[in-house]
mmCIF file of all heavy atoms in Angstrom:
data_model
loop_
_atom_site.group_PDB
_atom_site.id
_atom_site.type_symbol
_atom_site.label_atom_id
_atom_site.label_comp_id
_atom_site.label_asym_id
_atom_site.label_seq_id
_atom_site.Cartn_x
_atom_site.Cartn_y
_atom_site.Cartn_z
ATOM 1 N N PRO A 209 20.008 9.912 8.527
ATOM 2 C CA PRO A 209 18.901 9.825 7.568
ATOM 3 C C PRO A 209 17.540 10.029 8.243
ATOM 4 O O PRO A 209 17.339 9.658 9.405
ATOM 5 C CB PRO A 209 19.026 8.410 7.005
ATOM 6 C CG PRO A 209 20.458 8.039 7.216
ATOM 7 C CD PRO A 209 20.829 8.691 8.518
ATOM 8 N N LEU A 210 16.620 10.618 7.488
ATOM 9 C CA LEU A 210 15.237 10.802 7.914
ATOM 10 C C LEU A 210 14.336 10.053 6.946
ATOM 11 O O LEU A 210 14.376 10.286 5.735
ATOM 12 C CB LEU A 210 14.862 12.289 7.921
ATOM 13 C CG LEU A 210 13.385 12.608 8.175
ATOM 14 C CD1 LEU A 210 12.970 12.191 9.583
ATOM 15 C CD2 LEU A 210 13.098 14.090 7.935
ATOM 16 N N ILE A 212 10.471 9.310 5.831
ATOM 17 C CA ILE A 212 9.130 9.899 5.881
ATOM 18 C C ILE A 212 8.151 8.862 5.361
ATOM 19 O O ILE A 212 8.238 8.439 4.206
ATOM 20 C CB ILE A 212 9.088 11.181 5.029
ATOM 21 C CG1 ILE A 212 10.111 12.195 5.564
ATOM 22 C CG2 ILE A 212 7.686 11.772 5.011
ATOM 23 C CD1 ILE A 212 10.454 13.306 4.578
ATOM 24 N N ASN A 300 7.670 20.547 4.113
ATOM 25 C CA ASN A 300 8.598 21.674 4.185
ATOM 26 C C ASN A 300 8.594 22.255 5.595
ATOM 27 O O ASN A 300 9.655 22.513 6.192
ATOM 28 C CB ASN A 300 8.207 22.733 3.149
ATOM 29 C CG ASN A 300 9.229 23.849 3.047
ATOM 30 O OD1 ASN A 300 9.598 24.458 4.034
ATOM 31 N ND2 ASN A 300 9.672 24.120 1.825
ATOM 32 N N VAL A 303 10.179 19.654 8.150
ATOM 33 C CA VAL A 303 11.637 19.589 8.056
ATOM 34 C C VAL A 303 12.272 20.856 8.640
ATOM 35 O O VAL A 303 13.300 20.794 9.332
ATOM 36 C CB VAL A 303 12.067 19.371 6.589
ATOM 37 C CG1 VAL A 303 13.563 19.604 6.404
ATOM 38 C CG2 VAL A 303 11.696 17.963 6.137
ATOM 39 N N ARG A 308 15.892 19.543 9.907
ATOM 40 C CA ARG A 308 16.371 18.367 9.205
ATOM 41 C C ARG A 308 16.738 18.635 7.749
ATOM 42 O O ARG A 308 16.820 17.707 6.944
ATOM 43 C CB ARG A 308 15.318 17.244 9.264
ATOM 44 C CG ARG A 308 14.958 16.766 10.651
ATOM 45 C CD ARG A 308 16.173 16.371 11.498
ATOM 46 N NE ARG A 308 16.932 15.292 10.941
ATOM 47 C CZ ARG A 308 16.784 14.013 11.297
ATOM 48 N NH1 ARG A 308 15.881 13.679 12.199
ATOM 49 N NH2 ARG A 308 17.533 13.084 10.753
ATOM 50 N N TRP A 309 16.978 19.885 7.390
ATOM 51 C CA TRP A 309 17.310 20.187 5.995
ATOM 52 C C TRP A 309 18.617 19.532 5.553
ATOM 53 O O TRP A 309 18.776 19.158 4.391
ATOM 54 C CB TRP A 309 17.369 21.701 5.776
ATOM 55 C CG TRP A 309 16.018 22.276 5.518
ATOM 56 C CD1 TRP A 309 15.204 22.916 6.404
ATOM 57 C CD2 TRP A 309 15.296 22.232 4.286
ATOM 58 N NE1 TRP A 309 14.028 23.286 5.804
ATOM 59 C CE2 TRP A 309 14.055 22.874 4.507
ATOM 60 C CE3 TRP A 309 15.563 21.725 3.018
ATOM 61 C CZ2 TRP A 309 13.092 23.017 3.511
ATOM 62 C CZ3 TRP A 309 14.617 21.863 2.022
ATOM 63 C CH2 TRP A 309 13.399 22.497 2.264
ATOM 64 N N ALA A 310 19.557 19.367 6.462
ATOM 65 C CA ALA A 310 20.849 18.783 6.080
ATOM 66 C C ALA A 310 20.800 17.264 5.979
ATOM 67 O O ALA A 310 21.691 16.654 5.373
ATOM 68 C CB ALA A 310 21.926 19.191 7.085
ATOM 69 N N SER A 311 19.781 16.648 6.549
ATOM 70 C CA SER A 311 19.732 15.188 6.634
ATOM 71 C C SER A 311 19.443 14.536 5.287
ATOM 72 O O SER A 311 18.625 15.036 4.508
ATOM 73 C CB SER A 311 18.650 14.761 7.621
ATOM 74 O OG SER A 311 18.906 15.273 8.913
ATOM 75 N N PRO A 312 20.060 13.380 4.994
ATOM 76 C CA PRO A 312 19.619 12.574 3.850
ATOM 77 C C PRO A 312 18.170 12.153 4.081
ATOM 78 O O PRO A 312 17.818 11.715 5.185
ATOM 79 C CB PRO A 312 20.555 11.367 3.872
ATOM 80 C CG PRO A 312 21.718 11.795 4.710
ATOM 81 C CD PRO A 312 21.175 12.750 5.714
ATOM 82 N N LYS A 313 17.337 12.270 3.055
ATOM 83 C CA LYS A 313 15.900 12.047 3.233
ATOM 84 C C LYS A 313 15.397 10.919 2.337
ATOM 85 O O LYS A 313 15.807 10.798 1.177
ATOM 86 C CB LYS A 313 15.117 13.331 2.944
ATOM 87 C CG LYS A 313 15.499 14.495 3.852
ATOM 88 C CD LYS A 313 14.850 15.782 3.412
ATOM 89 C CE LYS A 313 15.433 16.960 4.167
ATOM 90 N NZ LYS A 313 16.864 17.187 3.810
ATOM 91 N N TYR A 314 14.468 10.148 2.903
ATOM 92 C CA TYR A 314 13.872 9.009 2.200
ATOM 93 C C TYR A 314 12.358 9.057 2.368
ATOM 94 O O TYR A 314 11.852 9.365 3.453
ATOM 95 C CB TYR A 314 14.409 7.692 2.768
ATOM 96 C CG TYR A 314 15.885 7.500 2.533
ATOM 97 C CD1 TYR A 314 16.821 8.114 3.375
ATOM 98 C CD2 TYR A 314 16.351 6.727 1.467
ATOM 99 C CE1 TYR A 314 18.179 7.960 3.150
ATOM 100 C CE2 TYR A 314 17.709 6.570 1.247
ATOM 101 C CZ TYR A 314 18.617 7.188 2.079
ATOM 102 O OH TYR A 314 19.969 7.037 1.851
ATOM 103 N N LEU A 315 11.655 8.730 1.308
ATOM 104 C CA LEU A 315 10.213 8.550 1.362
ATOM 105 C C LEU A 315 9.910 7.065 1.279
ATOM 106 O O LEU A 315 10.521 6.347 0.477
ATOM 107 C CB LEU A 315 9.521 9.255 0.196
ATOM 108 C CG LEU A 315 9.637 10.777 0.091
ATOM 109 C CD1 LEU A 315 8.944 11.254 -1.174
ATOM 110 C CD2 LEU A 315 9.045 11.467 1.309
ATOM 111 N N LEU A 328 5.457 12.777 -4.817
ATOM 112 C CA LEU A 328 6.141 13.697 -3.909
ATOM 113 C C LEU A 328 7.622 13.857 -4.249
ATOM 114 O O LEU A 328 8.200 14.924 -4.025
ATOM 115 C CB LEU A 328 6.002 13.206 -2.470
ATOM 116 C CG LEU A 328 4.728 13.609 -1.718
ATOM 117 C CD1 LEU A 328 4.627 12.847 -0.397
ATOM 118 C CD2 LEU A 328 4.701 15.115 -1.472
ATOM 119 N N ALA A 329 8.243 12.813 -4.771
ATOM 120 C CA ALA A 329 9.671 12.898 -5.105
ATOM 121 C C ALA A 329 9.935 14.072 -6.037
ATOM 122 O O ALA A 329 10.886 14.842 -5.845
ATOM 123 C CB ALA A 329 10.140 11.593 -5.735
ATOM 124 N N LEU A 330 9.096 14.226 -7.064
ATOM 125 C CA LEU A 330 9.265 15.336 -8.004
ATOM 126 C C LEU A 330 8.746 16.640 -7.425
ATOM 127 O O LEU A 330 9.378 17.700 -7.598
ATOM 128 C CB LEU A 330 8.556 15.028 -9.316
ATOM 129 C CG LEU A 330 8.739 16.071 -10.434
ATOM 130 C CD1 LEU A 330 10.214 16.194 -10.824
ATOM 131 C CD2 LEU A 330 7.887 15.721 -11.647
ATOM 132 N N GLU A 331 7.612 16.604 -6.737
ATOM 133 C CA GLU A 331 7.024 17.820 -6.162
ATOM 134 C C GLU A 331 7.955 18.448 -5.131
ATOM 135 O O GLU A 331 8.163 19.675 -5.123
ATOM 136 C CB GLU A 331 5.676 17.495 -5.523
ATOM 137 C CG GLU A 331 4.986 18.671 -4.859
ATOM 138 C CD GLU A 331 4.477 19.718 -5.832
ATOM 139 O OE1 GLU A 331 4.344 19.390 -7.030
ATOM 140 O OE2 GLU A 331 4.197 20.855 -5.402
ATOM 141 N N LEU A 332 8.522 17.646 -4.257
ATOM 142 C CA LEU A 332 9.456 18.162 -3.256
ATOM 143 C C LEU A 332 10.681 18.776 -3.918
ATOM 144 O O LEU A 332 11.172 19.838 -3.510
ATOM 145 C CB LEU A 332 9.883 17.045 -2.304
ATOM 146 C CG LEU A 332 8.840 16.575 -1.288
ATOM 147 C CD1 LEU A 332 9.328 15.320 -0.576
ATOM 148 C CD2 LEU A 332 8.531 17.674 -0.276
ATOM 149 N N GLN A 333 11.160 18.107 -4.932
ATOM 150 C CA GLN A 333 12.360 18.564 -5.623
ATOM 151 C C GLN A 333 12.108 19.842 -6.417
ATOM 152 O O GLN A 333 12.913 20.778 -6.386
ATOM 153 C CB GLN A 333 12.830 17.445 -6.557
ATOM 154 C CG GLN A 333 14.140 17.670 -7.262
ATOM 155 C CD GLN A 333 14.591 16.401 -7.964
ATOM 156 O OE1 GLN A 333 14.942 15.435 -7.315
ATOM 157 N NE2 GLN A 333 14.553 16.407 -9.286
ATOM 158 N N SER A 334 10.956 19.895 -7.105
ATOM 159 C CA SER A 334 10.685 20.997 -8.021
ATOM 160 C C SER A 334 10.129 22.236 -7.340
ATOM 161 O O SER A 334 10.454 23.363 -7.752
ATOM 162 C CB SER A 334 9.694 20.544 -9.108
ATOM 163 O OG SER A 334 10.222 19.471 -9.856
ATOM 164 N N ASN A 335 9.285 22.043 -6.320
ATOM 165 C CA ASN A 335 8.585 23.188 -5.731
ATOM 166 C C ASN A 335 8.911 23.457 -4.270
ATOM 167 O O ASN A 335 8.520 24.493 -3.736
ATOM 168 C CB ASN A 335 7.069 22.995 -5.889
ATOM 169 C CG ASN A 335 6.648 23.033 -7.350
ATOM 170 O OD1 ASN A 335 7.102 23.876 -8.110
ATOM 171 N ND2 ASN A 335 5.792 22.109 -7.744
ATOM 172 N N GLN A 336 9.603 22.521 -3.617
ATOM 173 C CA GLN A 336 10.053 22.759 -2.244
ATOM 174 C C GLN A 336 11.580 22.780 -2.166
ATOM 175 O O GLN A 336 12.131 23.001 -1.103
ATOM 176 C CB GLN A 336 9.501 21.673 -1.313
ATOM 177 C CG GLN A 336 7.990 21.537 -1.316
ATOM 178 C CD GLN A 336 7.278 22.803 -0.885
ATOM 179 O OE1 GLN A 336 7.779 23.558 -0.057
ATOM 180 N NE2 GLN A 336 6.091 23.045 -1.437
ATOM 181 N N TRP A 337 12.251 22.487 -3.273
ATOM 182 C CA TRP A 337 13.715 22.481 -3.354
ATOM 183 C C TRP A 337 14.318 21.538 -2.319
ATOM 184 O O TRP A 337 15.372 21.790 -1.746
ATOM 185 C CB TRP A 337 14.245 23.913 -3.210
ATOM 186 C CG TRP A 337 13.544 24.826 -4.164
ATOM 187 C CD1 TRP A 337 13.741 24.929 -5.522
ATOM 188 C CD2 TRP A 337 12.478 25.717 -3.850
ATOM 189 N NE1 TRP A 337 12.867 25.833 -6.070
ATOM 190 C CE2 TRP A 337 12.071 26.337 -5.069
ATOM 191 C CE3 TRP A 337 11.808 26.057 -2.675
ATOM 192 C CZ2 TRP A 337 11.051 27.262 -5.124
ATOM 193 C CZ3 TRP A 337 10.790 26.990 -2.734
ATOM 194 C CH2 TRP A 337 10.426 27.583 -3.946
ATOM 195 N N MET A 338 13.617 20.416 -2.137
ATOM 196 C CA MET A 338 14.031 19.394 -1.183
ATOM 197 C C MET A 338 14.392 18.135 -1.965
ATOM 198 O O MET A 338 13.544 17.534 -2.610
ATOM 199 C CB MET A 338 12.890 19.096 -0.193
ATOM 200 C CG MET A 338 13.278 18.155 0.934
ATOM 201 S SD MET A 338 11.848 17.764 2.014
ATOM 202 C CE MET A 338 11.435 19.387 2.663
ATOM 203 N N PHE A 339 15.638 17.731 -1.918
ATOM 204 C CA PHE A 339 16.124 16.613 -2.710
ATOM 205 C C PHE A 339 16.293 15.367 -1.838
ATOM 206 O O PHE A 339 16.689 15.452 -0.679
ATOM 207 C CB PHE A 339 17.438 16.986 -3.390
ATOM 208 C CG PHE A 339 17.264 17.977 -4.500
ATOM 209 C CD1 PHE A 339 17.010 19.318 -4.223
ATOM 210 C CD2 PHE A 339 17.326 17.577 -5.823
ATOM 211 C CE1 PHE A 339 16.828 20.229 -5.250
ATOM 212 C CE2 PHE A 339 17.151 18.488 -6.861
ATOM 213 C CZ PHE A 339 16.890 19.822 -6.566
ATOM 214 N N LEU A 340 15.983 14.224 -2.425
ATOM 215 C CA LEU A 340 15.933 12.962 -1.695
ATOM 216 C C LEU A 340 17.115 12.061 -2.044
ATOM 217 O O LEU A 340 17.714 12.190 -3.115
ATOM 218 C CB LEU A 340 14.644 12.220 -2.032
ATOM 219 C CG LEU A 340 13.327 12.954 -1.800
ATOM 220 C CD1 LEU A 340 12.171 12.151 -2.375
ATOM 221 C CD2 LEU A 340 13.105 13.240 -0.325
ATOM 222 N N ASN A 341 17.380 11.117 -1.156
ATOM 223 C CA ASN A 341 18.348 10.057 -1.444
ATOM 224 C C ASN A 341 17.669 8.759 -1.868
ATOM 225 O O ASN A 341 18.286 7.929 -2.528
ATOM 226 C CB ASN A 341 19.225 9.790 -0.227
ATOM 227 C CG ASN A 341 20.272 10.861 -0.014
ATOM 228 O OD1 ASN A 341 19.937 11.987 0.320
ATOM 229 N ND2 ASN A 341 21.536 10.518 -0.209
ATOM 230 N N GLY A 342 16.400 8.597 -1.461
ATOM 231 C CA GLY A 342 15.744 7.346 -1.812
ATOM 232 C C GLY A 342 14.235 7.402 -1.697
ATOM 233 O O GLY A 342 13.678 8.195 -0.936
ATOM 234 N N VAL A 343 13.587 6.541 -2.478
ATOM 235 C CA VAL A 343 12.154 6.325 -2.410
ATOM 236 C C VAL A 343 11.933 4.814 -2.305
ATOM 237 O O VAL A 343 12.483 4.053 -3.105
ATOM 238 C CB VAL A 343 11.419 6.889 -3.639
ATOM 239 C CG1 VAL A 343 9.943 6.505 -3.620
ATOM 240 C CG2 VAL A 343 11.567 8.408 -3.701
ATOM 241 N N GLN A 533 11.343 11.283 -13.626
ATOM 242 C CA GLN A 533 11.904 12.619 -13.812
ATOM 243 C C GLN A 533 12.777 13.018 -12.624
ATOM 244 O O GLN A 533 13.863 13.594 -12.799
ATOM 245 C CB GLN A 533 10.783 13.642 -13.975
ATOM 246 C CG GLN A 533 10.001 13.541 -15.269
ATOM 247 C CD GLN A 533 8.921 14.597 -15.329
ATOM 248 O OE1 GLN A 533 9.192 15.795 -15.305
ATOM 249 N NE2 GLN A 533 7.677 14.151 -15.391
ATOM 250 N N ALA A 534 12.294 12.724 -11.421
ATOM 251 C CA ALA A 534 13.060 13.070 -10.226
ATOM 252 C C ALA A 534 14.403 12.334 -10.213
ATOM 253 O O ALA A 534 15.438 12.915 -9.849
ATOM 254 C CB ALA A 534 12.255 12.731 -8.973
ATOM 255 N N MET A 535 14.399 11.059 -10.636
ATOM 256 C CA MET A 535 15.647 10.302 -10.701
ATOM 257 C C MET A 535 16.588 10.876 -11.750
ATOM 258 O O MET A 535 17.803 10.962 -11.530
ATOM 259 C CB MET A 535 15.358 8.838 -11.018
ATOM 260 C CG MET A 535 14.634 8.083 -9.934
ATOM 261 S SD MET A 535 14.424 6.323 -10.341
ATOM 262 C CE MET A 535 16.114 5.726 -10.125
ATOM 263 N N ALA A 536 16.034 11.263 -12.875
ATOM 264 C CA ALA A 536 16.870 11.819 -13.944
ATOM 265 C C ALA A 536 17.541 13.124 -13.510
ATOM 266 O O ALA A 536 18.696 13.378 -13.857
ATOM 267 C CB ALA A 536 16.018 12.054 -15.192
ATOM 268 N N MET A 537 16.823 13.920 -12.741
ATOM 269 C CA MET A 537 17.340 15.222 -12.312
ATOM 270 C C MET A 537 18.231 15.139 -11.077
ATOM 271 O O MET A 537 18.936 16.098 -10.761
ATOM 272 C CB MET A 537 16.171 16.163 -12.001
ATOM 273 C CG MET A 537 15.273 16.482 -13.172
ATOM 274 S SD MET A 537 13.913 17.525 -12.601
ATOM 275 C CE MET A 537 12.789 17.397 -13.994
ATOM 276 N N ASN A 538 18.175 14.015 -10.372
ATOM 277 C CA ASN A 538 18.888 13.895 -9.106
ATOM 278 C C ASN A 538 19.692 12.598 -9.087
ATOM 279 O O ASN A 538 19.161 11.532 -8.774
ATOM 280 C CB ASN A 538 17.881 13.924 -7.944
ATOM 281 C CG ASN A 538 18.540 13.745 -6.588
ATOM 282 O OD1 ASN A 538 19.767 13.711 -6.461
ATOM 283 N ND2 ASN A 538 17.715 13.626 -5.558
ATOM 284 N N PRO A 539 20.966 12.641 -9.420
ATOM 285 C CA PRO A 539 21.785 11.417 -9.458
ATOM 286 C C PRO A 539 21.899 10.692 -8.121
ATOM 287 O O PRO A 539 22.284 9.523 -8.089
ATOM 288 C CB PRO A 539 23.162 11.929 -9.913
ATOM 289 C CG PRO A 539 22.880 13.212 -10.620
ATOM 290 C CD PRO A 539 21.715 13.817 -9.890
ATOM 291 N N TYR A 540 21.594 11.379 -7.008
ATOM 292 C CA TYR A 540 21.634 10.731 -5.705
ATOM 293 C C TYR A 540 20.436 9.801 -5.474
ATOM 294 O O TYR A 540 20.478 8.930 -4.604
ATOM 295 C CB TYR A 540 21.597 11.789 -4.592
ATOM 296 C CG TYR A 540 22.916 12.429 -4.249
ATOM 297 C CD1 TYR A 540 22.950 13.675 -3.617
ATOM 298 C CD2 TYR A 540 24.134 11.801 -4.507
ATOM 299 C CE1 TYR A 540 24.152 14.285 -3.262
ATOM 300 C CE2 TYR A 540 25.335 12.400 -4.169
ATOM 301 C CZ TYR A 540 25.340 13.643 -3.541
ATOM 302 O OH TYR A 540 26.533 14.238 -3.202
ATOM 303 N N LEU A 541 19.345 9.990 -6.217
ATOM 304 C CA LEU A 541 18.078 9.347 -5.897
ATOM 305 C C LEU A 541 18.039 7.881 -6.340
ATOM 306 O O LEU A 541 18.202 7.563 -7.518
ATOM 307 C CB LEU A 541 16.926 10.123 -6.546
ATOM 308 C CG LEU A 541 15.506 9.615 -6.282
ATOM 309 C CD1 LEU A 541 15.219 9.510 -4.797
ATOM 310 C CD2 LEU A 541 14.480 10.515 -6.957
ATOM 311 N N HIS A 542 17.779 6.997 -5.378
ATOM 312 C CA HIS A 542 17.652 5.560 -5.614
ATOM 313 C C HIS A 542 16.239 5.101 -5.255
ATOM 314 O O HIS A 542 15.541 5.754 -4.474
ATOM 315 C CB HIS A 542 18.670 4.774 -4.786
ATOM 316 C CG HIS A 542 20.092 4.976 -5.217
ATOM 317 N ND1 HIS A 542 20.751 6.167 -5.064
ATOM 318 C CD2 HIS A 542 20.983 4.129 -5.799
ATOM 319 C CE1 HIS A 542 21.991 6.054 -5.537
ATOM 320 N NE2 HIS A 542 22.150 4.824 -5.980
ATOM 321 N N ARG A 575 20.186 1.808 -9.978
ATOM 322 C CA ARG A 575 19.570 2.652 -8.945
ATOM 323 C C ARG A 575 18.151 2.202 -8.580
ATOM 324 O O ARG A 575 17.501 2.823 -7.749
ATOM 325 C CB ARG A 575 19.548 4.114 -9.407
ATOM 326 C CG ARG A 575 20.945 4.724 -9.493
ATOM 327 C CD ARG A 575 20.959 5.983 -10.325
ATOM 328 N NE ARG A 575 20.080 7.002 -9.793
ATOM 329 C CZ ARG A 575 19.720 8.095 -10.469
ATOM 330 N NH1 ARG A 575 20.154 8.288 -11.719
ATOM 331 N NH2 ARG A 575 18.923 8.989 -9.925
ATOM 332 N N SER A 608 22.778 3.807 -0.366
ATOM 333 C CA SER A 608 22.420 4.990 -1.160
ATOM 334 C C SER A 608 22.946 6.286 -0.556
ATOM 335 O O SER A 608 22.745 7.365 -1.130
ATOM 336 C CB SER A 608 20.896 5.077 -1.312
ATOM 337 O OG SER A 608 20.257 5.144 -0.055
ATOM 338 N N LEU A 609 23.605 6.203 0.589
ATOM 339 C CA LEU A 609 24.249 7.381 1.154
ATOM 340 C C LEU A 609 25.578 7.607 0.433
ATOM 341 O O LEU A 609 26.432 6.723 0.433
ATOM 342 C CB LEU A 609 24.499 7.196 2.652
ATOM 343 C CG LEU A 609 23.276 7.168 3.565
ATOM 344 C CD1 LEU A 609 23.694 6.812 4.990
ATOM 345 C CD2 LEU A 609 22.559 8.503 3.533
ATOM 346 N N PRO A 610 25.757 8.754 -0.194
ATOM 347 C CA PRO A 610 27.022 8.983 -0.907
ATOM 348 C C PRO A 610 28.188 9.116 0.073
ATOM 349 O O PRO A 610 28.017 9.558 1.217
ATOM 350 C CB PRO A 610 26.769 10.300 -1.644
ATOM 351 C CG PRO A 610 25.722 11.001 -0.834
ATOM 352 C CD PRO A 610 24.851 9.909 -0.267
ATOM 353 N N ALA A 616 26.813 15.028 -6.590
ATOM 354 C CA ALA A 616 25.653 14.498 -7.315
ATOM 355 C C ALA A 616 25.778 14.913 -8.778
ATOM 356 O O ALA A 616 25.319 15.974 -9.189
ATOM 357 C CB ALA A 616 24.359 15.035 -6.712
#
Side-chain angles (χ1 to χ4, degrees):
L210 172 65
I212 300 163
N300 187 307
V303 167
R308 299 308 299 264
W309 276 100
S311 300
K313 300 172 190 67
Y314 295 81
L315 297 177
L328 275 170
L330 184 62
E331 178 70 18
L332 287 171
Q333 186 171 291
S334 300
N335 294 316
Q336 303 300 327
W337 309 284
M338 186 183 298
F339 289 75
L340 304 172
N341 285 68
V343 173
Q533 290 180 61
M535 293 184 73
M537 297 177 195
N538 178 6
Y540 277 158
L541 182 55
H542 292 68
R575 292 163 59 193
S608 59
L609 291 173

